[in-house]
Amino acid sequence: MIKNPSPNALVVEGGAMRGIFASGVLDAFIEHDYRPFDFAIGVSAGATNLLAYLASQHGRSHDIMTKLARSPRFMDPLRFAKGGNLVDIHWLWRTSCRQYPLDLHTLRASAIPFYAVVTNTLTGGAQYIRVKPENMHEVLPASCAIPLVSRDYPQVAGIPMTDGGVADSIPVIEAYRRGARQITVILSEPLGYRLKPMPFPWMIRTLLKARPALAKALARRDRRYNEALDFIANPPDDCQIAVIAPADYFPVSRFTRNLSKLEVGYLMGKCAGYQVVRLN
């Protein structure tokens, strides 16, 4: 139970490789032991970034993105053309855990409860699952499994799940619902960005005809995303929201593998994180 009369939450958006920005912000927080949060919610790459932050493992997310996520073992268009996954989330998770082991002692000792967002493929709804060392091997790959790009659906407690960004890309409203009245949001897109409706919805319905609730969730993703942006821009009177977002010239896209661009994106995140620390 949150006892702080004005709970402070940290919300971290995903965005695949654009998550390199949040990794820089959170590494800046680690360097200054900046942890004023009562709980945290992350989505997809935002959730894995939070995992490193709460384990106090500076540089872990950066190394995973700049080394492992650039490997053809992770992203392979030819494999996708032959009927496999464009991205192999399970390989990336297993390899990152082996090459960059998590500090489970520090993670367990963290005073900040951490929730990852997943999308239930049977209902199309968002689920917010408390992440612990005991369940992270199920929950984190599920939160990152982009539908269609990843053809399989990782199971959490026996339920097929997919990327939390489908149902709730920026869970700021959920943070407010859970009692947060001070919210820091790390975005992966510049301020002013609006998500456009998905093109060719009929094609999505066809490709996901076995999972109609998921197809419907994808079709309304832009509305849910933009509702979160509207909430951030005009929060309730009893809520203060601080936004950390990349500049318009942020050079990283969802599937960027160019190392120089990724390093620039990471440094932009660190600079933004340092600015937050200085102001607080």
Side-chain angles (χ1 to χ4, degrees), residues 192-252:
Y193 173 82
R194 304 288 289 187
L195 185 63
K196 297 179 180 179
M198 181 171 288
F200 312 116
W202 59 269
M203 183 181 297
I204 300 301
R205 290 194 297 271
T206 301
L207 292 171
L208 294 174
K209 61 183 178 181
R211 300 186 184 274
L214 179 58
K216 187 176 293 186
L218 279 165
R220 62 174 181 256
R221 179 173 178 258
D222 62 298
R223 295 192 293 274
R224 184 73 182 266
Y225 190 99
N226 293 331
E227 284 172 2
L229 292 177
D230 291 339
F231 185 93
I232 291 169
N234 299 284
D237 290 341
D238 64 344
C239 181
Q240 295 182 328
I241 299 179
V243 180
I244 308 172
D248 291 338
Y249 52 87
F250 184 63
V252 183

Side-chain angles (χ1 to χ4, degrees), residues 14 18-19 21 63 98 101 103 148 168 170 190 206 229 236 248 280:
R18 294 183 71 89
F21 176 79
D63 288 350
R98 183 176 66 252
D103 184 342
L148 302 178
D168 195 359
I170 312 172
T206 301
L229 292 177
D248 291 338
N280 291 275

Side-chain angles (χ1 to χ4, degrees), residues 65-87:
M65 287 189 170
T66 58
K67 297 176 182 177
L68 299 183
R70 294 174 56 244
S71 167
R73 289 289 305 276
F74 173 58
M75 190 184 308
D76 186 348
L78 181 59
R79 180 178 61 208
F80 186 65
K82 292 180 178 180
N85 293 324
L86 175 62
V87 295

Side-chain angles (χ1 to χ4, degrees), residues 5-261:
S6 183
N8 192 338
L10 174 61
V11 172
V12 186
E13 185 185 1
M17 299 300 277
R18 294 183 71 89
I20 194 74
F21 176 79
S23 75
V25 174
L26 294 173
D27 273 355
F29 287 2
I30 291 173
E31 289 175 17
H32 291 84
D33 196 27
Y34 182 74
R35 303 174 186 277
F37 310 107
D38 296 291
F39 66 95
I41 309 178
V43 184
S44 191
T48 56
N49 277 327
L50 276 174
L51 197 66
Y53 169 63
L54 297 175
S56 293
Q57 289 182 260
H58 184 280
R60 183 180 191 270
S61 292
H62 166 272
D63 288 350
I64 291 171
M65 287 189 170
T66 58
K67 297 176 182 177
L68 299 183
R70 294 174 56 244
S71 167
R73 289 289 305 276
F74 173 58
M75 190 184 308
D76 186 348
L78 181 59
R79 180 178 61 208
F80 186 65
K82 292 180 178 180
N85 293 324
L86 175 62
V87 295
D88 190 338
I89 292 297
H90 294 289
W91 175 84
L92 183 64
W93 175 258
R94 291 192 305 268
T95 306
S96 62
C97 287
R98 183 176 66 252
Q99 294 192 17
Y100 307 101
L102 279 159
D103 184 342
L104 297 181
H105 176 76
T106 301
L107 186 63
R108 290 180 193 277
S110 173
I112 304 174
F114 160 40
Y115 301 86
V117 187
V118 295
T119 300
N120 186 318
T121 66
L122 305 180
T123 67
Q127 292 185 210
Y128 309 88
I129 301 177
R130 174 81 180 268
V131 177
K132 300 179 180 180
E134 293 77 17
N135 69 0
M136 65 180 186
H137 296 290
E138 280 191 336
V139 177
L140 271 298
S143 185
C144 297
I146 305 171
L148 302 178
V149 171
S150 296
R151 299 183 192 273
D152 59 336
Y153 301 100
Q155 294 199 355
V156 179
I159 300 174
M161 301 289 190
T162 193
D163 192 332
V166 173
D168 195 359
S169 295
I170 312 172
V172 62
I173 297 174
E174 177 64 17
Y176 181 81
R177 190 188 70 80
R178 288 174 179 262
R181 294 300 179 263
Q182 299 178 60
I183 306 174
T184 298
V185 182
I186 305 177
L187 299 177
S188 62
E189 297 282 356
L191 291 175
Y193 173 82
R194 304 288 289 187
L195 185 63
K196 297 179 180 179
M198 181 171 288
F200 312 116
W202 59 269
M203 183 181 297
I204 300 301
R205 290 194 297 271
T206 301
L207 292 171
L208 294 174
K209 61 183 178 181
R211 300 186 184 274
L214 179 58
K216 187 176 293 186
L218 279 165
R220 62 174 181 256
R221 179 173 178 258
D222 62 298
R223 295 192 293 274
R224 184 73 182 266
Y225 190 99
N226 293 331
E227 284 172 2
L229 292 177
D230 291 339
F231 185 93
I232 291 169
N234 299 284
D237 290 341
D238 64 344
C239 181
Q240 295 182 328
I241 299 179
V243 180
I244 308 172
D248 291 338
Y249 52 87
F250 184 63
V252 183
S253 67
R254 293 183 66 84
F255 296 115
T256 294
R257 287 196 279 185
N258 181 286
L259 181 58
S260 297
K261 291 182 178 180

